[in-house]
Amino acid sequence: MNPSSLKAKQLHQTDSGHSHPDMEEMRTFGFWIYLMTDIMIFGTFFATYIVLRHNTNGGPGPADLFDLNGVILSTFLLLTSSYTCGLAVLAMNKGKKQALIGWLAVTAILGAIFIGLEINEFAHMVHEGATISRSAFLSAFYTLVGTHGLHVTIGLVWMIALMIQLSSKGITPVTKRKVNVISLFWHFLDVVWIFVFTVVYLMGVN
């Protein structure tokens, strides 16, 4: 190999070696930007709910509608799923692919049960006549809690797709980055839910 070809190859390898981690860092940075926009969206919905929570237009209010026992169960399930998601990351860091997929599956199952309970709550409220158009309070409630539920559902689809990718490709730098990102997303949803539980449900029944 002549010197010019060798130099060109070294430059290519150097470029490749630097460009790959940079792209991964850029993708992670892009996710942080997305997360900040989500914080602003939820902040707006929380502020709207707080302003409108007493505007029931003669209809049922929080104390009439909320079943705190069911919400506590939902909260327990979601917080437990955050713990199992953390165990998945620990398994990934130890290079244990099956354990990683297993803990992600447990996390997804707990998240799916959480969504099932939320759908059941919404269906019960609608059956009682507490629809989204009944009052400003209910519009704000369904928008805030429903948006959180939509995010959890997207996280579930994302997690299932990631488990399929892990099964076929194993633990690679790319799948590692994706597991770290979904873990961050899931913990973020748990933090939002703690605010929902406190501001919407606890303050509502009191």
Side-chain angles (χ1 to χ4, degrees), residues 1-14:
M1 183 178 295
N2 61 58
S4 59
S5 299
L6 179 61
K7 186 177 180 180
K9 184 179 180 182
Q10 288 173 337
L11 284 173
H12 175 72
Q13 288 174 338
T14 302

Side-chain angles (χ1 to χ4, degrees), residues 69-90:
N69 291 329
V71 179
I72 290 173
L73 175 60
S74 297
T75 304
F76 174 76
L77 290 171
L78 199 61
L79 294 183
T80 303
S81 75
S82 190
Y83 176 70
T84 58
C85 191
L87 292 178
V89 174
L90 287 176

Side-chain angles (χ1 to χ4, degrees), residues 109-201:
I109 290 170
L110 292 172
I113 297 173
F114 171 85
I115 289 298
L117 290 173
E118 190 163 87
I119 291 172
N120 183 63
E121 178 193 22
F122 283 6
H124 177 73
M125 289 174 63
V126 170
H127 180 72
E128 296 293 321
T131 61
I132 191 171
S133 58
R134 179 64 182 81
S135 66
F137 150 66
L138 285 169
S139 297
F141 167 78
Y142 281 114
T143 301
L144 173 58
V145 182
T147 300
H148 177 270
L150 177 63
H151 277 65
V152 174
T153 304
I154 292 172
L156 289 176
V157 174
W158 185 359
M159 206 172 289
I160 292 169
L162 183 53
M163 283 189 284
I164 294 171
Q165 189 174 17
L166 283 166
S167 298
S168 61
K169 297 185 177 180
I171 301 174
T172 67
V174 174
T175 54
K176 269 188 175 181
R177 189 252 309 163
K178 291 181 177 179
V179 171
N180 283 324
V181 167
I182 187 66
S183 174
L184 183 62
F185 181 69
W186 204 257
H187 292 317
F188 166 72
L189 293 180
D190 276 357
V191 172
V192 173
W193 180 256
I194 289 172
F195 280 100
V196 170
F197 177 69
T198 304
V199 175
V200 176
Y201 290 102

Side-chain angles (χ1 to χ4, degrees), residues 12-126:
H12 175 72
Q13 288 174 338
T14 302
D15 288 346
S16 299
H18 285 289
S19 62
H20 184 68
D22 285 347
M23 284 304 296
E24 291 302 301
E25 289 175 8
M26 286 297 293
R27 290 186 178 109
T28 303
F29 179 68
F31 178 76
W32 276 104
I33 293 177
Y34 156 75
L35 217 52
M36 284 189 280
T37 62
D38 247 10
I39 291 171
M40 289 188 283
I41 289 171
F42 276 110
T44 303
F45 287 164
F46 271 109
T48 304
Y49 176 82
I50 290 170
V51 170
L52 298 177
R53 61 180 172 159
H54 297 301
N55 294 302
T56 59
N57 193 30
D64 306 313
L65 296 171
F66 297 158
D67 173 20
L68 208 53
N69 291 329
V71 179
I72 290 173
L73 175 60
S74 297
T75 304
F76 174 76
L77 290 171
L78 199 61
L79 294 183
T80 303
S81 75
S82 190
Y83 176 70
T84 58
C85 191
L87 292 178
V89 174
L90 287 176
M92 178 187 70
N93 291 335
K94 293 180 180 178
K96 298 179 178 178
K97 188 181 86 170
Q98 293 304 324
L100 164 60
I101 295 173
W103 284 121
L104 285 179
V106 173
T107 303
I109 290 170
L110 292 172
I113 297 173
F114 171 85
I115 289 298
L117 290 173
E118 190 163 87
I119 291 172
N120 183 63
E121 178 193 22
F122 283 6
H124 177 73
M125 289 174 63
V126 170

